[in-house]
Amino acid sequence: MTDVTLKEVSKKFGSFQVCHNIDLDIKAGEFITLLGSSGCGKTTTLNMVAGLEDSTSGDILIGGRRVNDLSPVERDVAMVFQNYALYPHMTVAQNIGFTLKMRGVASAIVREKVQKLAASLELGHVLERFPAQLSGGQQQRVAIGRALVREPRIFLFDEPFSNLDASLRVKMRTEVKELHVQQSVTSIFVTHDQEEAMSISDRIAVMYRGGVEQFGSPEEIYAHPASRYVASFIGSPQIELLDGILEMSNGATFLRAGQRALPLHIDQGNFKSGRAVEFGVRPEHVRMGDTGIEGRVQMLQPIGPATHVTIDTAAGTFIASVPGFLRVKPGDNVKVEIQASDLHVFDKETGLRL
């Protein structure tokens, strides 16, 4: 198993800064995801690790060795692309075994490795078919198999499931996670799908405007987002961020939201009373009951196991995720209770967590 380290890695195309000062310390055998919206620099970062793009500055280390000047082959990485990149004139068996054949591995050994890997990927019955005769999921498995058969030090995945339908995406990410557990090879996965990232990653690097906004476990990123962007990007339905004011009284800190003052357990530091902030609460922590902030139901979104209820209050609009189906309807008056311990509070100017 091999570790990967990025030290202040930046990338420019002419005068345009794509990535800046990226620091990542990926442990051997870890599965990490680069997560972010289009244009945030995640694929460029992956390409720099692979050696497909040169970094403008900074160092990339694989297994403790600086690899900035090494080719992709010398780095011993395997990459799975979004568009599969299969050879259409080759059978499944030939596609999977191609890199071994190019390395001069004996035909008998290639055949043995291909058959063993195909069995684990449930491709044994299609080895003699061509890519055009396969489903999207089967084609993606072939692409993964071609990467796995090389037994590289690092696996790189560039949005490999983007062309698959929703149900197949879920199945494929489960299979990739199982393969990672079996192989224990350091893996870097790129996606814009936060649910996908949360479900398969040991740690997630949330990227924003070419930098890493937060790097931590799925639990850390969800429960303690480091910034306004991370809080709003992670979670479904999306957290609602509202305006508030910090107030200080007798050594205690309160969040003023409309006519409501909620006590906060945060270090006052150099805060001054009247400081503008943004705050939010995850939908599952917005509780509907007989007490709390008065509001009116705007919209209901039943999704089976839960119903997402949009509620307009004097403090702002909240979304409550309530188990099961509800009998309330748009226009009904309700009350919501919010615990101060469930609040996420961010500086209005910097967007950083307080």
Coordinates of all heavy atoms in Angstrom, one line a residue, residues 40-134:
C40 N -14.4 23.3 -10.1 CA -13.7 23.6 -8.8 C -12.3 23.1 -8.8 O -11.5 23.4 -7.8 CB -14.5 22.9 -7.7 SG -14.4 21.1 -7.6
G41 N -11.8 22.3 -9.8 CA -10.4 21.9 -9.9 C -10.2 20.5 -9.5 O -9.0 20.0 -9.5
K42 N -11.3 19.7 -9.2 CA -11.1 18.3 -8.7 C -10.4 17.4 -9.8 O -9.5 16.6 -9.5 CB -12.4 17.8 -8.2 CG -13.5 17.8 -9.2 CD -14.8 17.3 -8.5 CE -16.0 17.2 -9.5 NZ -16.3 18.5 -10.1
T43 N -10.9 17.5 -11.1 CA -10.4 16.6 -12.1 C -8.9 17.0 -12.5 O -8.1 16.2 -12.7 CB -11.2 16.7 -13.4 OG1 -12.5 16.0 -13.0 CG2 -10.6 15.9 -14.5
T44 N -8.7 18.3 -12.5 CA -7.3 18.8 -12.7 C -6.4 18.3 -11.6 O -5.2 17.9 -11.9 CB -7.3 20.4 -12.7 OG1 -8.1 20.8 -13.8 CG2 -5.9 20.9 -13.0
T45 N -6.8 18.3 -10.4 CA -6.0 17.8 -9.3 C -5.7 16.3 -9.5 O -4.6 15.8 -9.3 CB -6.7 18.0 -7.9 OG1 -6.9 19.4 -7.7 CG2 -5.9 17.4 -6.8
L46 N -6.7 15.5 -9.9 CA -6.5 14.1 -10.2 C -5.6 13.9 -11.3 O -4.7 13.0 -11.2 CB -7.9 13.5 -10.5 CG -7.9 11.9 -10.6 CD1 -7.9 11.4 -9.1 CD2 -9.1 11.4 -11.3
N47 N -5.7 14.7 -12.3 CA -4.8 14.6 -13.5 C -3.3 14.9 -13.1 O -2.4 14.3 -13.7 CB -5.2 15.5 -14.6 CG -6.5 15.0 -15.3 OD1 -6.8 13.8 -15.2 ND2 -7.2 15.9 -16.0
M48 N -3.1 15.8 -12.2 CA -1.8 16.1 -11.7 C -1.2 15.0 -11.0 O 0.0 14.7 -11.1 CB -1.8 17.4 -10.9 CG -2.0 18.7 -11.7 SD -1.7 20.2 -10.8 CE -3.1 20.2 -9.7
V49 N -2.0 14.3 -10.2 CA -1.5 13.1 -9.5 C -1.2 12.0 -10.5 O -0.2 11.3 -10.3 CB -2.6 12.6 -8.5 CG1 -2.2 11.2 -7.8 CG2 -2.8 13.6 -7.4
A50 N -2.0 11.9 -11.5 CA -1.8 10.8 -12.5 C -0.6 11.1 -13.4 O 0.0 10.2 -14.0 CB -3.0 10.7 -13.4
G51 N -0.2 12.4 -13.5 CA 0.9 12.8 -14.4 C 0.4 13.2 -15.8 O 1.2 13.4 -16.7
L52 N -1.0 13.3 -15.9 CA -1.5 13.8 -17.2 C -1.5 15.3 -17.3 O -1.6 15.8 -18.4 CB -3.0 13.3 -17.3 CG -3.2 11.8 -17.2 CD1 -4.7 11.5 -17.3 CD2 -2.5 11.1 -18.3
E53 N -1.3 16.0 -16.2 CA -1.1 17.4 -16.2 C 0.1 17.7 -15.3 O 0.3 17.1 -14.3 CB -2.3 18.2 -15.6 CG -3.6 18.1 -16.5 CD -3.5 19.1 -17.7 OE1 -2.5 19.8 -17.8 OE2 -4.5 19.1 -18.5
D54 N 0.9 18.7 -15.7 CA 2.0 19.1 -14.9 C 1.5 20.2 -13.9 O 0.8 21.1 -14.3 CB 3.2 19.7 -15.7 CG 3.8 18.6 -16.6 OD1 3.9 17.5 -16.2 OD2 4.2 19.0 -17.7
S55 N 2.0 20.1 -12.7 CA 1.7 21.2 -11.7 C 2.5 22.4 -12.0 O 3.7 22.3 -12.4 CB 1.9 20.7 -10.3 OG 3.2 20.3 -10.1
T56 N 2.0 23.6 -11.7 CA 2.7 24.8 -11.9 C 3.7 25.0 -10.8 O 4.8 25.5 -11.0 CB 1.8 26.0 -12.0 OG1 0.8 25.8 -13.1 CG2 2.5 27.3 -12.3
S57 N 3.3 24.6 -9.6 CA 4.2 24.7 -8.4 C 3.7 23.7 -7.4 O 2.6 23.1 -7.5 CB 4.1 26.1 -7.8 OG 2.8 26.4 -7.4
G58 N 4.6 23.4 -6.4 CA 4.3 22.5 -5.3 C 4.8 21.1 -5.7 O 5.4 20.9 -6.7
D59 N 4.7 20.2 -4.7 CA 5.2 18.8 -4.9 C 4.2 17.8 -4.7 O 3.2 17.9 -3.9 CB 6.3 18.6 -3.8 CG 7.5 19.4 -4.0 OD1 7.9 19.6 -5.2 OD2 8.1 19.9 -3.0
I60 N 4.3 16.7 -5.5 CA 3.4 15.5 -5.4 C 4.3 14.3 -5.1 O 5.3 14.1 -5.8 CB 2.7 15.3 -6.7 CG1 1.8 16.5 -7.1 CG2 1.8 14.0 -6.6 CD1 1.1 16.4 -8.4
L61 N 4.0 13.7 -4.0 CA 4.8 12.5 -3.5 C 3.9 11.3 -3.5 O 2.8 11.3 -3.0 CB 5.4 12.8 -2.1 CG 6.4 13.8 -2.0 CD1 5.8 15.2 -1.9 CD2 7.3 13.6 -0.8
I62 N 4.4 10.2 -4.1 CA 3.8 8.9 -4.0 C 4.8 7.9 -3.4 O 5.9 7.7 -3.8 CB 3.4 8.4 -5.4 CG1 2.4 9.3 -6.1 CG2 2.9 7.0 -5.4 CD1 2.0 8.9 -7.5
G63 N 4.3 7.4 -2.2 CA 5.2 6.5 -1.5 C 6.4 7.2 -1.0 O 7.5 6.6 -0.9
G64 N 6.3 8.5 -0.7 CA 7.4 9.3 -0.2 C 8.3 9.8 -1.2 O 9.3 10.6 -0.9
R65 N 8.1 9.5 -2.5 CA 9.0 9.9 -3.6 C 8.4 11.0 -4.4 O 7.2 10.9 -4.8 CB 9.3 8.7 -4.5 CG 10.2 9.0 -5.7 CD 10.3 7.8 -6.6 NE 11.2 8.1 -7.8 CZ 11.3 7.3 -8.8 NH1 10.6 6.2 -8.9 NH2 12.1 7.7 -9.8
R66 N 9.1 12.1 -4.7 CA 8.6 13.2 -5.5 C 8.5 12.7 -6.9 O 9.4 12.2 -7.5 CB 9.6 14.4 -5.4 CG 9.0 15.6 -6.1 CD 10.0 16.8 -5.9 NE 9.6 18.0 -6.5 CZ 9.7 18.3 -7.8 NH1 10.4 17.5 -8.6 NH2 9.3 19.5 -8.3
V67 N 7.2 12.8 -7.5 CA 7.0 12.3 -8.8 C 6.7 13.3 -9.8 O 6.2 13.0 -11.0 CB 5.8 11.3 -8.7 CG1 6.1 10.1 -7.8 CG2 4.5 12.0 -8.3
N68 N 6.9 14.6 -9.5 CA 6.5 15.7 -10.5 C 7.0 15.5 -11.9 O 6.4 15.8 -12.8 CB 7.0 17.0 -9.9 CG 6.3 17.5 -8.7 OD1 6.1 16.7 -7.7 ND2 5.9 18.7 -8.6
D69 N 8.3 14.9 -11.9 CA 8.9 14.8 -13.2 C 8.8 13.4 -13.8 O 9.4 13.1 -14.9 CB 10.4 15.2 -13.1 CG 10.6 16.6 -12.6 OD1 9.8 17.5 -13.1 OD2 11.5 16.8 -11.8
L70 N 8.0 12.5 -13.2 CA 7.8 11.2 -13.7 C 6.6 11.1 -14.6 O 5.6 11.8 -14.4 CB 7.7 10.2 -12.5 CG 8.8 10.1 -11.5 CD1 8.5 9.0 -10.5 CD2 10.1 9.8 -12.3
S71 N 6.6 10.2 -15.6 CA 5.5 9.9 -16.5 C 4.4 9.1 -15.7 O 4.7 8.5 -14.7 CB 6.0 9.1 -17.7 OG 6.4 7.8 -17.3
P72 N 3.2 9.1 -16.3 CA 2.2 8.2 -15.6 C 2.6 6.8 -15.5 O 2.3 6.2 -14.4 CB 1.0 8.4 -16.6 CG 1.2 9.7 -17.3 CD 2.7 9.8 -17.4
V73 N 3.3 6.2 -16.4 CA 3.8 4.8 -16.3 C 4.7 4.7 -15.1 O 4.6 3.7 -14.4 CB 4.4 4.4 -17.6 CG1 5.0 3.0 -17.5 CG2 3.4 4.3 -18.8
E74 N 5.6 5.6 -15.0 CA 6.6 5.5 -13.9 C 6.0 5.7 -12.6 O 6.5 5.3 -11.5 CB 7.7 6.6 -14.1 CG 8.6 6.3 -15.4 CD 9.5 7.5 -15.7 OE1 9.0 8.7 -15.7 OE2 10.7 7.3 -15.8
R75 N 4.9 6.4 -12.5 CA 4.2 6.6 -11.2 C 3.4 5.4 -10.8 O 3.0 5.3 -9.6 CB 3.2 7.8 -11.3 CG 3.9 9.1 -11.6 CD 3.0 10.3 -11.6 NE 3.6 11.5 -12.2 CZ 3.2 12.7 -12.0 NH1 2.1 13.0 -11.3 NH2 3.9 13.8 -12.5
D76 N 3.1 4.5 -11.7 CA 2.4 3.2 -11.5 C 1.0 3.5 -10.9 O 0.7 3.0 -9.8 CB 3.2 2.3 -10.5 CG 2.7 0.9 -10.5 OD1 1.9 0.5 -11.4 OD2 3.1 0.2 -9.5
V77 N 0.3 4.3 -11.6 CA -1.1 4.5 -11.3 C -2.0 4.0 -12.4 O -1.6 3.8 -13.5 CB -1.4 6.0 -11.1 CG1 -0.5 6.6 -10.0 CG2 -1.2 6.8 -12.4
A78 N -3.3 3.7 -12.0 CA -4.3 3.2 -13.0 C -5.5 4.1 -12.9 O -5.9 4.4 -11.8 CB -4.7 1.8 -12.7
M79 N -6.0 4.5 -14.0 CA -7.1 5.5 -14.0 C -8.3 4.9 -14.7 O -8.2 4.3 -15.8 CB -6.6 6.8 -14.7 CG -7.5 8.0 -14.5 SD -6.6 9.5 -14.8 CE -7.8 10.7 -14.4
V80 N -9.5 5.2 -14.1 CA -10.8 4.8 -14.7 C -11.5 6.1 -15.1 O -11.7 7.0 -14.2 CB -11.6 4.0 -13.7 CG1 -13.0 3.6 -14.4 CG2 -10.9 2.7 -13.3
F81 N -11.8 6.2 -16.4 CA -12.4 7.5 -16.9 C -13.9 7.5 -16.9 O -14.5 6.4 -16.9 CB -11.8 7.8 -18.3 CG -10.4 8.0 -18.4 CD1 -9.5 6.9 -18.6 CD2 -9.8 9.2 -18.1 CE1 -8.1 7.1 -18.7 CE2 -8.4 9.4 -18.2 CZ -7.6 8.3 -18.5
Q82 N -14.5 8.6 -17.1 CA -15.9 8.8 -17.1 C -16.5 8.1 -18.4 O -17.6 7.5 -18.3 CB -16.3 10.3 -17.2 CG -17.7 10.6 -17.3 CD -18.0 12.1 -17.3 OE1 -17.1 12.9 -16.9 NE2 -19.2 12.5 -17.7
N83 N -15.8 8.1 -19.5 CA -16.3 7.6 -20.7 C -15.8 6.2 -21.0 O -15.9 5.7 -22.2 CB -16.0 8.5 -21.9 CG -14.5 8.6 -22.1 OD1 -13.7 8.1 -21.4 ND2 -14.1 9.4 -23.1
Y84 N -15.3 5.5 -20.0 CA -14.9 4.1 -20.1 C -13.6 3.9 -20.9 O -12.7 3.1 -20.5 CB -16.0 3.1 -20.7 CG -17.3 3.4 -20.1 CD1 -18.5 3.2 -20.9 CD2 -17.6 3.7 -18.8 CE1 -19.8 3.4 -20.4 CE2 -18.8 3.9 -18.3 CZ -19.9 3.8 -19.1 OH -21.2 4.0 -18.6
A85 N -13.5 4.5 -22.1 CA -12.3 4.5 -22.9 C -11.9 3.0 -23.2 O -10.7 2.6 -23.1 CB -11.1 5.2 -22.2
L86 N -12.9 2.2 -23.6 CA -12.6 0.8 -24.0 C -12.2 0.8 -25.5 O -12.7 1.6 -26.3 CB -13.8 0.0 -23.7 CG -14.3 -0.1 -22.3 CD1 -15.5 -1.0 -22.2 CD2 -13.2 -0.6 -21.4
Y87 N -11.5 -0.3 -25.9 CA -11.2 -0.5 -27.3 C -12.3 -1.2 -28.0 O -12.6 -2.4 -27.6 CB -9.9 -1.3 -27.4 CG -8.7 -0.6 -26.8 CD1 -8.1 -1.1 -25.6 CD2 -8.1 0.6 -27.4 CE1 -7.0 -0.5 -25.1 CE2 -7.0 1.2 -26.8 CZ -6.5 0.6 -25.6 OH -5.4 1.3 -25.1
P88 N -13.0 -0.6 -28.9 CA -14.3 -1.2 -29.4 C -14.0 -2.4 -30.3 O -14.9 -3.3 -30.4 CB -14.9 0.0 -30.3 CG -13.7 0.8 -30.7 CD -12.8 0.8 -29.5
H89 N -12.8 -2.6 -30.8 CA -12.5 -3.7 -31.7 C -12.0 -4.9 -30.9 O -11.7 -6.0 -31.5 CB -11.5 -3.3 -32.7 CG -10.2 -2.9 -32.2 ND1 -10.0 -1.7 -31.5 CD2 -9.0 -3.5 -32.2 CE1 -8.7 -1.6 -31.1 NE2 -8.1 -2.7 -31.5
M90 N -11.8 -4.8 -29.6 CA -11.3 -5.9 -28.7 C -12.5 -6.4 -27.9 O -13.4 -5.7 -27.5 CB -10.2 -5.4 -27.8 CG -9.0 -4.9 -28.5 SD -7.7 -4.4 -27.2 CE -6.4 -3.9 -28.3
T91 N -12.4 -7.7 -27.6 CA -13.3 -8.4 -26.7 C -13.1 -7.9 -25.3 O -12.1 -7.2 -25.0 CB -13.2 -9.9 -26.7 OG1 -11.9 -10.3 -26.2 CG2 -13.3 -10.4 -28.2
V92 N -14.0 -8.3 -24.4 CA -13.8 -7.9 -23.0 C -12.5 -8.5 -22.4 O -11.8 -7.8 -21.7 CB -15.0 -8.5 -22.2 CG1 -14.8 -8.4 -20.7 CG2 -16.3 -7.8 -22.5
A93 N -12.2 -9.7 -22.7 CA -11.0 -10.4 -22.3 C -9.8 -9.6 -22.8 O -8.8 -9.4 -22.0 CB -11.0 -11.8 -22.7
Q94 N -9.8 -9.2 -24.0 CA -8.7 -8.5 -24.6 C -8.5 -7.1 -24.0 O -7.4 -6.6 -23.8 CB -8.8 -8.4 -26.1 CG -8.7 -9.7 -26.8 CD -9.1 -9.7 -28.3 OE1 -9.9 -8.8 -28.7 NE2 -8.6 -10.6 -29.1
N95 N -9.6 -6.4 -23.7 CA -9.6 -5.1 -23.1 C -9.0 -5.2 -21.7 O -8.1 -4.4 -21.4 CB -11.0 -4.5 -23.0 CG -11.3 -3.6 -24.2 OD1 -10.9 -2.5 -24.2 ND2 -12.1 -4.1 -25.1
I96 N -9.4 -6.2 -20.9 CA -8.9 -6.3 -19.6 C -7.4 -6.6 -19.5 O -6.7 -6.1 -18.8 CB -9.7 -7.3 -18.8 CG1 -11.2 -6.9 -18.6 CG2 -9.1 -7.6 -17.4 CD1 -12.1 -7.9 -17.9
G97 N -7.1 -7.5 -20.4 CA -5.7 -8.0 -20.4 C -4.7 -7.2 -21.2 O -3.5 -7.5 -21.3
F98 N -5.2 -6.1 -21.8 CA -4.3 -5.4 -22.8 C -3.0 -4.8 -22.2 O -2.0 -5.0 -22.8 CB -5.1 -4.2 -23.4 CG -4.4 -3.4 -24.4 CD1 -4.1 -3.9 -25.7 CD2 -3.9 -2.1 -24.1 CE1 -3.4 -3.2 -26.6 CE2 -3.2 -1.4 -25.0 CZ -2.9 -1.9 -26.3
T99 N -3.1 -4.2 -21.0 CA -1.9 -3.6 -20.4 C -0.9 -4.7 -20.1 O 0.3 -4.5 -20.2 CB -2.3 -2.8 -19.2 OG1 -3.0 -3.6 -18.3 CG2 -3.0 -1.6 -19.5
L100 N -1.4 -5.9 -19.6 CA -0.5 -7.0 -19.3 C 0.2 -7.5 -20.6 O 1.4 -7.8 -20.6 CB -1.2 -8.1 -18.6 CG -1.8 -7.8 -17.2 CD1 -2.5 -9.1 -16.7 CD2 -0.8 -7.3 -16.3
K101 N -0.5 -7.6 -21.6 CA 0.0 -8.0 -22.9 C 1.1 -7.0 -23.4 O 2.2 -7.5 -23.9 CB -1.1 -8.1 -24.0 CG -0.6 -8.6 -25.3 CD -1.7 -8.7 -26.3 CE -1.2 -9.1 -27.7 NZ -2.3 -9.1 -28.7
M102 N 0.9 -5.7 -23.2 CA 1.8 -4.7 -23.7 C 3.1 -4.8 -22.8 O 4.2 -4.4 -23.3 CB 1.2 -3.3 -23.6 CG 0.0 -3.1 -24.6 SD 0.6 -3.3 -26.3 CE 1.7 -1.9 -26.5
R103 N 3.0 -5.3 -21.6 CA 4.2 -5.4 -20.8 C 4.9 -6.7 -21.0 O 6.0 -6.9 -20.4 CB 3.7 -5.4 -19.3 CG 3.2 -4.0 -18.8 CD 2.9 -4.0 -17.4 NE 2.5 -2.7 -16.9 CZ 2.2 -2.4 -15.6 NH1 2.2 -3.4 -14.7 NH2 1.8 -1.2 -15.2
G104 N 4.4 -7.5 -21.9 CA 5.1 -8.7 -22.3 C 4.8 -9.9 -21.3 O 5.6 -10.9 -21.3
V105 N 3.8 -9.8 -20.6 CA 3.4 -10.9 -19.7 C 3.0 -12.1 -20.5 O 2.3 -12.0 -21.5 CB 2.3 -10.5 -18.7 CG1 1.9 -11.6 -17.8 CG2 2.7 -9.3 -17.9
A106 N 3.4 -13.3 -20.1 CA 3.0 -14.5 -20.8 C 1.5 -14.7 -21.0 O 0.8 -14.4 -20.1 CB 3.6 -15.7 -20.1
S107 N 1.1 -15.2 -22.1 CA -0.3 -15.3 -22.5 C -1.1 -16.1 -21.4 O -2.2 -15.8 -21.1 CB -0.4 -15.9 -23.9 OG 0.1 -15.1 -24.8
A108 N -0.4 -17.2 -21.0 CA -1.1 -18.1 -20.0 C -1.4 -17.3 -18.7 O -2.5 -17.5 -18.1 CB -0.3 -19.3 -19.7
I109 N -0.5 -16.5 -18.3 CA -0.6 -15.7 -17.0 C -1.7 -14.6 -17.2 O -2.5 -14.4 -16.4 CB 0.7 -15.1 -16.6 CG1 1.7 -16.2 -16.3 CG2 0.5 -14.2 -15.4 CD1 3.1 -15.7 -15.9
V110 N -1.7 -14.0 -18.4 CA -2.7 -13.0 -18.7 C -4.1 -13.6 -18.7 O -5.0 -13.1 -18.1 CB -2.4 -12.3 -20.1 CG1 -3.6 -11.4 -20.5 CG2 -1.1 -11.6 -20.1
R111 N -4.2 -14.7 -19.3 CA -5.5 -15.4 -19.4 C -6.0 -15.8 -18.0 O -7.2 -15.6 -17.6 CB -5.4 -16.7 -20.2 CG -6.7 -17.4 -20.5 CD -6.7 -18.4 -21.6 NE -5.5 -19.3 -21.5 CZ -4.4 -19.3 -22.2 NH1 -4.3 -18.3 -23.1 NH2 -3.4 -20.1 -22.0
E112 N -5.1 -16.3 -17.1 CA -5.4 -16.7 -15.8 C -5.9 -15.5 -15.0 O -6.9 -15.5 -14.2 CB -4.2 -17.3 -15.1 CG -4.5 -17.8 -13.6 CD -3.3 -18.4 -13.0 OE1 -2.3 -18.6 -13.7 OE2 -3.3 -18.6 -11.8
K113 N -5.1 -14.4 -15.0 CA -5.5 -13.1 -14.3 C -6.8 -12.6 -14.8 O -7.6 -12.1 -14.0 CB -4.4 -12.1 -14.4 CG -3.1 -12.4 -13.6 CD -2.1 -11.3 -13.8 CE -0.9 -11.5 -12.9 NZ -1.2 -11.2 -11.5
V114 N -7.0 -12.5 -16.1 CA -8.2 -12.0 -16.6 C -9.4 -12.8 -16.2 O -10.5 -12.2 -15.8 CB -8.2 -11.9 -18.2 CG1 -9.5 -11.6 -18.8 CG2 -7.2 -10.9 -18.6
Q115 N -9.4 -14.1 -16.3 CA -10.5 -15.0 -15.9 C -10.8 -14.8 -14.4 O -12.0 -14.8 -14.0 CB -10.2 -16.4 -16.2 CG -10.2 -16.7 -17.7 CD -9.8 -18.1 -18.0 OE1 -9.2 -18.8 -17.2 NE2 -10.0 -18.5 -19.3
K116 N -9.8 -14.7 -13.6 CA -10.0 -14.6 -12.1 C -10.7 -13.2 -11.8 O -11.6 -13.2 -11.0 CB -8.7 -14.7 -11.4 CG -8.8 -14.6 -9.9 CD -7.4 -14.8 -9.2 CE -7.5 -14.7 -7.7 NZ -6.2 -14.9 -7.0
L117 N -10.2 -12.2 -12.4 CA -10.7 -10.9 -12.2 C -12.1 -10.7 -12.7 O -13.0 -10.2 -12.1 CB -9.8 -9.8 -12.8 CG -10.1 -8.3 -12.5 CD1 -10.1 -8.1 -11.0 CD2 -9.1 -7.4 -13.2
A118 N -12.3 -11.3 -13.9 CA -13.7 -11.3 -14.5 C -14.7 -11.9 -13.7 O -15.9 -11.5 -13.6 CB -13.6 -11.9 -15.9
A119 N -14.3 -13.0 -13.0 CA -15.2 -13.7 -12.1 C -15.7 -12.8 -11.0 O -16.8 -12.8 -10.6 CB -14.6 -15.0 -11.6
S120 N -14.7 -12.1 -10.4 CA -15.0 -11.3 -9.2 C -15.9 -10.1 -9.7 O -16.6 -9.5 -8.8 CB -13.7 -10.8 -8.6 OG -13.0 -9.9 -9.4
L121 N -15.8 -9.7 -10.9 CA -16.6 -8.5 -11.4 C -17.9 -9.0 -12.1 O -18.6 -8.2 -12.7 CB -15.7 -7.7 -12.4 CG -14.5 -7.0 -11.8 CD1 -13.7 -6.4 -13.0 CD2 -15.0 -5.8 -10.9
E122 N -18.2 -10.3 -12.1 CA -19.3 -10.9 -12.7 C -19.3 -10.6 -14.2 O -20.3 -10.3 -14.8 CB -20.6 -10.3 -12.1 CG -20.7 -10.7 -10.6 CD -22.0 -10.2 -10.0 OE1 -22.9 -9.6 -10.7 OE2 -22.2 -10.3 -8.8
L123 N -18.1 -10.8 -14.8 CA -18.0 -10.6 -16.3 C -17.6 -11.9 -17.0 O -17.3 -11.9 -18.2 CB -16.9 -9.5 -16.6 CG -17.3 -8.1 -16.2 CD1 -16.1 -7.2 -16.3 CD2 -18.4 -7.5 -17.0
G124 N -17.5 -13.0 -16.2 CA -17.0 -14.2 -16.8 C -17.8 -14.7 -18.0 O -17.3 -15.3 -18.9
H125 N -19.1 -14.4 -18.0 CA -20.0 -14.9 -19.1 C -20.0 -14.0 -20.3 O -20.6 -14.3 -21.4 CB -21.4 -15.0 -18.6 CG -22.0 -13.7 -18.2 ND1 -21.6 -13.0 -17.1 CD2 -23.1 -13.0 -18.7 CE1 -22.3 -11.9 -17.0 NE2 -23.2 -11.9 -17.9
V126 N -19.2 -12.9 -20.3 CA -19.2 -11.9 -21.4 C -17.8 -11.7 -21.9 O -17.6 -10.7 -22.7 CB -19.9 -10.6 -21.1 CG1 -21.4 -10.8 -20.8 CG2 -19.2 -9.9 -19.9
L127 N -16.9 -12.5 -21.6 CA -15.5 -12.3 -22.0 C -15.2 -12.2 -23.5 O -14.3 -11.6 -23.9 CB -14.6 -13.4 -21.3 CG -14.3 -13.2 -19.8 CD1 -13.5 -14.5 -19.3 CD2 -13.5 -12.0 -19.6
E128 N -16.1 -12.9 -24.2 CA -15.9 -12.9 -25.7 C -16.7 -11.9 -26.4 O -16.7 -11.8 -27.6 CB -16.2 -14.3 -26.2 CG -15.2 -15.4 -25.7 CD -13.8 -15.1 -25.8 OE1 -13.4 -14.6 -26.9 OE2 -13.0 -15.2 -24.9
R129 N -17.4 -11.1 -25.7 CA -18.3 -10.0 -26.3 C -17.4 -8.8 -26.5 O -16.4 -8.6 -25.9 CB -19.5 -9.7 -25.4 CG -20.5 -10.8 -25.3 CD -21.7 -10.4 -24.5 NE -22.6 -11.5 -24.2 CZ -23.7 -11.4 -23.4 NH1 -24.0 -10.2 -23.0 NH2 -24.4 -12.5 -23.2
F130 N -18.0 -7.9 -27.4 CA -17.3 -6.6 -27.6 C -18.1 -5.5 -26.8 O -19.2 -5.7 -26.4 CB -17.4 -6.3 -29.1 CG -16.5 -7.2 -29.9 CD1 -17.0 -8.3 -30.5 CD2 -15.2 -6.9 -30.1 CE1 -16.3 -9.2 -31.3 CE2 -14.4 -7.8 -30.9 CZ -14.9 -8.9 -31.5
P131 N -17.4 -4.4 -26.5 CA -18.0 -3.3 -25.7 C -19.4 -2.9 -26.2 O -20.3 -2.7 -25.3 CB -17.0 -2.2 -25.9 CG -15.7 -2.9 -26.0 CD -16.0 -4.1 -26.9
A132 N -19.6 -2.9 -27.5 CA -20.9 -2.4 -28.0 C -22.1 -3.4 -27.6 O -23.2 -3.0 -27.7 CB -20.9 -2.3 -29.5
Q133 N -21.7 -4.6 -27.2 CA -22.7 -5.6 -26.9 C -23.0 -5.7 -25.4 O -23.7 -6.5 -24.9 CB -22.2 -7.0 -27.3 CG -22.0 -7.1 -28.8 CD -21.3 -8.5 -29.2 OE1 -20.3 -8.8 -28.7 NE2 -22.0 -9.2 -30.1
L134 N -22.4 -4.7 -24.6 CA -22.5 -4.7 -23.2 C -23.4 -3.6 -22.7 O -23.6 -2.6 -23.4 CB -21.1 -4.5 -22.5 CG -20.0 -5.5 -22.9 CD1 -18.7 -5.2 -22.2 CD2 -20.5 -7.0 -22.6

